[in-house]
């Protein structure tokens, strides 16, 4: 969350590349360094463990925004 600039409670769009689903949810902070990316509640029916997902955050601004891209590998470690 920190590297991507997400905040707890922030609304995000999740795209599941493994099954094609897309859904909105919000960020919940997990234990730092745990490598866990969890999907809770009703959204958990739209993605399963091992799926490749993209988590997108958006913001409104008066100036151009430079996107942040964080790529994760095995065990959700940063590439």
């Amino acid at each position: 969350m920190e590297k991507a600039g997400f905040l707890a409670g922030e609304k995000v769009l999740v795209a599941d590349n493994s099954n094609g689903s897309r859904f909105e949810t919000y960020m919940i902070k997990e234990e730092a360094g745990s490598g866990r990316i969890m999907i809770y509640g009703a959204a958990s029916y739209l993605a399963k463990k091992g799926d490749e997902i993209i988590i997108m955050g958006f913001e409104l601004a008066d100036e151009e925004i430079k996107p942040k891209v964080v790529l994760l590998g095995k065990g959700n470690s940063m590439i």
Side-chain angles (χ1 to χ4, degrees), residues 20-55:
S21 67
R22 293 175 82 102
F23 53 92
E24 292 180 341
T25 188
Y26 58 93
M27 301 299 288
I28 298 173
K29 188 171 181 137
E30 292 288 337
E31 182 181 335
S34 69
R36 291 188 300 191
I37 298 175
M38 307 296 292
I39 300 175
Y40 296 108
S44 67
Y45 290 96
L46 302 173
K48 66 180 189 309
K49 185 176 182 175
D51 283 1
E52 180 182 280
I53 62 170
I54 299 171
I55 303 171

Side-chain angles (χ1 to χ4, degrees), residues 4 6 10-17 21-27 53-59 68:
F6 290 125
E10 182 176 349
K11 179 179 172 181
V12 293
L13 174 64
V14 178
D16 187 317
N17 289 343
S21 67
R22 293 175 82 102
F23 53 92
E24 292 180 341
T25 188
Y26 58 93
M27 301 299 288
I53 62 170
I54 299 171
I55 303 171
M56 298 170 271
F58 302 87
E59 66 180 270
K68 293 180 186 174

